[in-house]
Amino acid sequence: MSELYEKSLVKLELPLVLEQLAACAGSQGGKEACLRVRPTSDLEDVKLLLEQTTAASELCTRKGNPVFGDVTDVSASLERADRGGSLQPVELLRIGGVLRCARNIKGYVAEDEKATVLDSLFNALTPNKYLEDRIFGAILSEEEIADNASPALADIRRHMRIQAGKIRDSLQKIIASSANAKYLREPIITIRQGRYVVPVKAEHKNDIPGLVHDVSATGSTYFIEPMSAVNANNALRELELKEKKEIERILSELSAEAAAHREDINLNYTMLIQLDVIFAKAKLAYRMQAWPPIMNDQGRVELRKARHPLIDSKKVVPISLRLGSDFDTMIITGPNTGGKTVTLKTIGLLTLMAECGLHIPAGDGSVLSTFDAVLADIGDEQSIAQSLSTFSSHMRTIVDVVDQCDDRTLVLFDELGAGTDPAEGAALAIALIEFARKMGSRVVATTHYAELKLYAMRTKGVINASCEFDVETLQPTYKLLIGIPGKSNAFAISRKLGLSEDILKEADDLVGKSDKDFEDVLSQLEQQRQQMEAARREAEQLKKDTAAIKEQSEKMRSELQKEKDKALEAARREAQKIIEDARTAANIAAEELKALRKQLQDHADVTNLNQRQADVRRSLNEMEDTLRAAQPKKERPMPTRGILVGDTVELLKLGTKASVIAINKDGTYQLQAGILKMTAKADEIYLLEQDNPYKEKTRPAHSGREMKMDATPMEVDLRGMDAVEAICTLSLYLDNAMRSGMKNVRIIHGKGTGVLRSAVHQELKKNKFIKTYRLGVYGEGEDGVTIAEFK
């Protein structure tokens, strides 16, 4: 990697992204490895890295994030142990941490049956539960060894506790003695230089025979080990030496066991660090809302709604662009602070991120290419010490770019040709771009020069782009427009800021005619683009509204169909049940009739036969009533008068007509139906009046429309119905009302929650025969009714 490439990585801010990546790593070694990540130009390697990141993201989604906190580089400790050295407890604890992490990470995917590209890394882990348990069972902390580290150590410490207890008991007798109370500074037992002592006043140091181990800072207290405790303290000291020797033996033994598995432990560390980096990439992708790009090595770039990863996602404006398909060079123009440099950095940085195996903050389906180098000339590196001006500093970088660019290079120029005479700078910029193109490089450059805009318009394979600027608000929109050169907007911005019109007019006169014409063309193009953009947005909104209406209609139609299907299915089941009941009753009746015939043939008892005939007849009548009850009842208007002799009535049970020939004293009616005469109660018949629609007498001639007007009311009441039932009723009513020639109808839906009113209005809005509709006013029912007018 060349020095210029390294500088380009810094200019494009890749190290800042890697710092964010390191913050996502779980171990110190993983964080350091993240900071060392560098782009690779091999297409297959990049695809593998991206697949690993994708696989890690999927695992995190299904199983949560794995933990790599205990991973520490232990290679130096293992090498020393391999040479026969004895490791310290802290070193052994780190080795145990690597083994524990390897076991946990191995178990993280143990029950996951879905194969991934990470399986080889997981399978390379070799946990050693025995050694792990030995280390953590023997070492409690960096400074403490467990009693059960060995039977010998446990026995030594047991004897130490017993010996210490004997010493305390001996000293307790001394400090508890009233004769010694005046000699002691305090009646306590303490430890100095590992031996039990008592604090004695300086003036009485000779009154308690023993060994002086320490003196207080003021010299007023002597810490004396009484002679009665010397031998006991010596015995305790011997036990402490044995303890130290046993601990050294235990550490040496554990070190030898760790050295025996040195290669496996080192491999575990390497795999864990690699997995830590991969899962850090997955975490960063989640934070950035990033997706894997589609990679190629043909220099083709197509970014969709790409965002600069270091700018707040709530503030950054996504950009979409392409390069390397129908053109290999892009010239970006526009005012300062308009987003040109951010666009340049976004292209370069996202390319580098992808080559590092990082997902990019861009829309799904974005395309990027691998490059051997991404060379960027961005920013000002002028140096007083080296006597370099702005132009000279840029040219120094450009010279290196020219020396290194080829067909596997992405070249990014910021303000190409700036810092010198405009005419010469523009000519030099065009020559540099042409050279890079001849070498096969992909080029993106920003500029203010009109000559480069014309160059892009006239040259095949070169395209203009611009960063949009709102002159009204004097604010850039940061939108990248492909195919449209940008304007500097110097005059418009100056006018908006209050510069004198006289000065602006004089400046306008100084601008050449060709430049004016060119700017006018740009203005016209921009106006047309804005109009097309507004039309496109309006069309998209209309499309969305249409789709929403269609979705709502489909939903309502689906609900109606479901209700219809549900009602039909219920009716079918009920009909099937009635048919089965009727069939059962018929079968029973047939069997009874057979039995009756047989009894007649056998001269059976007549009384019993009559009783059984009555039972059969009753059973058939009950089934008849059931069938009749299952039929829908007709809604009939109440008769306007009583029944008289000579009226025609309908027998409700039979559905036939009969004439009234007499009225009995008990309120029943004598009827004549054909040749049959019968008696019926008042609730078993219905009067067919002269003007009743069920009467079959000749009526005065009316047109069809007048007849329908008579039959269809001027209003329909939907209150108490649900939305589906109400819409069905309303549709039938509107159809009848329209055919009847009505001009207006009144729909009663009530006030309530407004759900029924909303459904009615939606239905009226869709009905092609409705001209207008409105809520009722005072006296019409107000918000509880809707007045609809037919076309």
Side-chain angles (χ1 to χ4, degrees):
M1 188 175 293
S2 67
E3 181 182 354
L4 177 60
Y5 193 7
E6 287 284 357
K7 287 183 179 180
S8 297
L9 299 184
V10 176
K11 290 179 180 178
L12 293 172
E13 301 174 308
L14 180 63
L16 297 181
V17 174
L18 296 181
E19 288 179 6
Q20 292 188 3
L21 177 64
C24 296
S27 64
Q28 184 59 36
K31 295 179 186 297
E32 294 171 357
C34 287
L35 296 176
R36 293 194 301 268
V37 170
R38 286 295 178 269
T40 178
S41 59
D42 184 88
L43 179 60
E44 295 304 319
D45 289 346
V46 172
K47 286 183 177 180
L48 177 60
L49 292 173
L50 290 172
E51 288 173 3
Q52 289 176 342
T53 305
T54 301
S57 298
E58 293 174 354
L59 280 172
C60 288
T61 301
R62 296 200 310 270
K63 306 175 74 67
N65 297 326
V67 179
F68 294 90
D70 288 342
V71 182
T72 307
D73 187 4
V74 293
S75 57
S77 298
L78 288 171
E79 183 176 357
R80 188 155 55 84
D82 191 49
R83 294 179 180 178
S86 180
L87 303 181
Q88 295 298 313
V90 63
E91 295 176 292
L92 288 168
L93 287 175
R94 290 172 182 168
I95 292 173
V98 172
L99 292 173
R100 179 165 57 191
C101 187
R103 177 172 55 83
N104 292 338
I105 297 301
K106 187 94 170 181
Y108 175 74
V109 293
E111 299 179 359
D112 196 287
E113 298 179 356
K114 185 176 180 181
T116 70
V117 295
L118 299 177
D119 288 347
S120 59
L121 300 178
F122 286 116
N123 293 334
L125 295 172
T126 54
N128 189 329
K129 187 70 164 56
Y130 170 76
L131 180 56
E132 176 192 342
D133 290 344
R134 282 272 288 145
I135 291 174
F136 287 113
I139 305 174
L140 300 180
S141 68
E142 297 180 6
E143 299 178 352
E144 184 178 2
I145 306 298
D147 290 354
N148 58 359
S150 74
L153 182 62
D155 185 62
I156 291 171
R157 288 185 172 172
R158 182 174 61 82
H159 282 90
M160 288 175 63
R161 288 191 290 271
I162 294 173
Q163 189 64 25
K166 290 180 180 179
I167 297 172
R168 283 194 294 271
D169 290 342
S170 173
L171 296 180
Q172 185 65 35
K173 292 178 181 179
I174 294 176
I175 63 176
S177 172
S178 57
N180 296 328
K182 58 184 178 180
Y183 305 140
L184 300 177
R185 178 65 62 186
E186 291 179 90
I188 61 173
I189 301 170
T190 185
I191 296 176
R192 287 293 185 274
Q193 298 180 9
R195 301 179 76 88
Y196 288 93
V197 297
V198 293
V200 179
K201 297 176 182 178
E203 58 272 23
H204 297 291
K205 63 181 179 179
N206 295 322
D207 294 328
I208 295 182
L211 303 177
V212 177
H213 287 284
D214 198 5
V215 180
S216 66
T218 60
S220 61
T221 303
Y222 279 66
F223 295 93
I224 296 175
E225 177 186 3
M227 291 304 296
S228 60
V230 171
N231 290 333
N233 268 324
N234 288 340
L236 181 61
R237 182 61 177 167
E238 290 176 4
L239 290 172
E240 288 175 350
L241 292 174
K242 287 183 180 181
E243 178 193 34
K244 181 178 179 182
K245 187 175 181 180
E246 179 62 17
I247 289 175
E248 290 176 352
R249 188 195 66 79
I250 293 170
L251 296 178
S252 179
E253 184 179 302
L254 291 175
S255 300
E257 290 188 29
H261 299 88
R262 172 187 175 187
E263 293 184 359
D264 289 343
I265 297 172
N266 280 331
L267 179 61
N268 283 341
Y269 174 75
T270 302
M271 293 299 101
L272 289 172
I273 292 300
Q274 192 170 345
L275 286 169
D276 194 4
V277 172
I278 292 171
F279 278 92
K281 292 177 181 178
K283 294 176 189 176
L284 185 63
Y286 176 78
R287 293 182 183 180
M288 288 186 175
Q289 299 178 2
W291 296 92
I294 301 170
M295 298 302 299
N296 70 91
D297 57 0
Q298 305 301 314
R300 186 167 63 89
V301 175
E302 185 176 348
L303 294 177
R304 302 176 181 178
K305 296 183 179 180
R307 311 183 308 275
H308 194 288
L310 300 177
I311 301 178
D312 188 348
S313 60
K314 297 179 181 179
K315 298 179 180 179
V316 65
V317 178
I319 61 171
S320 297
L321 58 88
R322 67 184 190 279
L323 183 69
S325 50
D326 48 342
F327 52 86
D328 56 37
T329 300
M330 180 184 294
I331 307 296
I332 305 176
T333 52
N336 289 327
T337 71
K340 300 189 301 298
T341 303
V342 171
T343 300
L344 208 63
K345 287 186 174 182
T346 301
I347 298 170
L349 182 54
L350 296 193
T351 299
L352 295 174
M353 286 177 63
E355 290 181 341
C356 291
L358 294 168
H359 289 180
I360 62 171
D364 191 21
S366 293
V367 178
L368 284 173
S369 174
T370 57
F371 294 98
D372 289 343
V374 179
L375 306 179
D377 174 35
I378 299 175
D380 187 2
E381 296 182 359
Q382 63 177 331
S383 171
I384 297 176
Q386 298 181 19
S387 300
L388 292 177
S389 64
T390 300
F391 178 75
S392 299
S393 65
H394 276 290
M395 285 309 301
R396 186 171 183 179
T397 303
I398 290 172
V399 168
D400 292 337
V401 172
V402 169
D403 290 340
Q404 298 180 29
C405 68
D406 56 23
D407 61 347
R408 292 281 300 152
T409 305
L410 174 63
V411 179
L412 307 174
F413 290 125
D414 188 27
E415 299 295 351
L416 184 58
T420 187
D421 178 75
E424 292 181 357
L428 186 58
I430 294 173
L432 288 168
I433 292 173
E434 276 299 306
F435 177 83
R437 293 187 65 214
K438 289 177 181 178
M439 297 301 295
S441 301
R442 299 291 184 264
V443 182
V444 183
T446 67
T447 185
H448 285 286
Y449 292 141
E451 290 86 348
L452 267 71
K453 303 175 189 177
L454 291 170
Y455 161 73
M457 296 174 68
R458 295 169 179 170
T459 307
K460 184 179 180 180
V462 183
I463 194 168
N464 272 307
S466 60
C467 292
E468 190 179 51
F469 188 86
D470 190 341
V471 180
E472 293 299 321
T473 62
L474 298 181
Q475 294 291 329
T477 64
Y478 300 107
K479 293 181 180 178
L480 185 68
L481 309 175
I482 305 294
I484 301 175
K487 292 182 61 179
S488 64
N489 294 303
F491 288 177
I493 294 173
S494 300
R495 181 175 290 108
K496 194 73 177 178
L497 293 174
L499 189 63
S500 170
E501 284 294 333
D502 293 336
I503 297 175
L504 289 171
K505 184 177 182 306
E506 184 175 352
D508 186 60
D509 293 339
L510 295 175
V511 177
K513 184 178 184 304
S514 60
D515 291 337
K516 288 182 181 179
D517 294 340
F518 181 68
E519 291 295 324
D520 290 341
V521 170
L522 293 183
S523 297
Q524 293 174 9
L525 285 173
E526 177 63 15
Q527 290 176 1
Q528 293 175 5
R529 186 200 64 77
Q530 292 179 357
Q531 292 172 358
M532 292 174 64
E533 181 69 17
R536 184 187 64 80
R537 286 197 297 267
E538 185 177 351
E540 286 183 354
Q541 186 60 42
L542 183 60
K543 182 179 179 181
K544 290 180 181 178
D545 294 343
T546 304
I549 294 173
K550 181 180 178 182
E551 182 181 359
Q552 186 177 7
S553 301
E554 288 293 331
K555 184 178 180 181
M556 185 172 292
R557 187 189 67 79
S558 177
E559 290 178 354
L560 288 172
Q561 186 62 38
K562 287 180 181 178
E563 291 293 330
K564 180 180 177 182
D565 294 343
K566 185 177 179 181
L568 288 174
E569 179 62 21
R572 187 192 66 78
R573 288 196 299 268
E574 182 66 22
Q576 184 66 29
K577 182 177 182 300
I578 292 171
I579 291 171
E580 290 176 356
D581 292 344
R583 184 180 293 113
T584 301
N587 291 336
I588 294 173
E591 293 296 327
E592 291 289 341
L593 289 173
K594 286 182 182 179
L596 287 174
R597 288 195 201 98
K598 186 175 181 181
Q599 289 184 12
L600 284 173
Q601 293 173 358
D602 296 341
H603 306 287
D605 179 41
V606 174
T607 304
N608 186 34
L609 289 175
N610 290 337
Q611 182 61 39
R612 295 187 66 179
Q613 286 178 345
D615 291 341
V616 172
R617 189 177 298 108
R618 189 185 310 108
S619 176
L620 292 174
N621 288 338
E622 289 176 354
M623 182 53 56
E624 181 182 4
D625 292 341
T626 302
L627 290 170
R628 186 178 296 109
Q631 296 176 353
K633 295 182 179 180
K634 297 180 181 179
E635 294 291 337
R636 305 171 186 266
M638 291 293 296
T640 60
R641 61 180 177 81
I643 299 175
L644 304 175
V645 175
D647 285 340
T648 300
V649 296
E650 181 181 347
L651 290 165
L652 296 178
K653 287 188 176 180
L654 301 177
T656 58
K657 297 178 183 178
S659 298
V660 180
I661 57 177
I663 302 176
N664 300 323
K665 292 182 179 180
D666 59 357
T668 59
Y669 296 90
Q670 290 286 334
L671 305 177
Q672 177 81 40
I675 62 173
L676 296 177
K677 290 185 179 180
M678 63 192 74
T679 301
K681 296 180 181 179
D683 59 354
E684 296 177 339
I685 59 177
Y686 177 77
L687 174 64
L688 301 179
E689 297 183 74
Q690 182 71 18
D691 57 347
N692 190 287
Y694 298 97
K695 181 68 177 176
E696 293 187 347
K697 292 184 178 181
T698 305
R699 298 182 58 190
H702 290 288
S703 66
R705 174 170 295 186
E706 289 174 337
M707 293 175 65
K708 291 176 182 176
M709 282 285 288
D710 292 340
T712 305
M714 294 296 293
E715 65 181 30
V716 60
D717 191 349
L718 306 178
R719 290 174 295 180
M721 303 180 185
D722 60 23
V724 176
E725 182 184 2
I727 294 304
C728 291
T729 303
L730 178 60
S731 297
L732 293 173
Y733 172 76
L734 292 176
D735 187 61
N736 291 333
M738 187 271 296
R739 289 201 300 267
S740 297
M742 294 184 179
K743 296 297 183 181
N744 299 287
V745 293
R746 182 169 177 260
I747 304 165
I748 305 173
H749 44 65
K751 297 180 181 179
T753 61
V755 174
L756 192 56
R757 179 176 66 240
S758 177
V760 168
H761 286 184
Q762 287 292 332
E763 180 66 19
L764 293 175
K765 187 177 181 181
K766 293 188 296 181
N767 195 308
K768 61 183 180 181
F769 299 109
I770 297 299
K771 181 179 180 181
T772 60
Y773 62 91
R774 61 175 175 81
L775 291 173
V777 297
Y778 182 76
E780 292 180 329
E782 299 178 283
D783 292 348
V785 303
T786 294
I787 308 300
E789 179 182 354
F790 288 99
K791 293 181 179 178

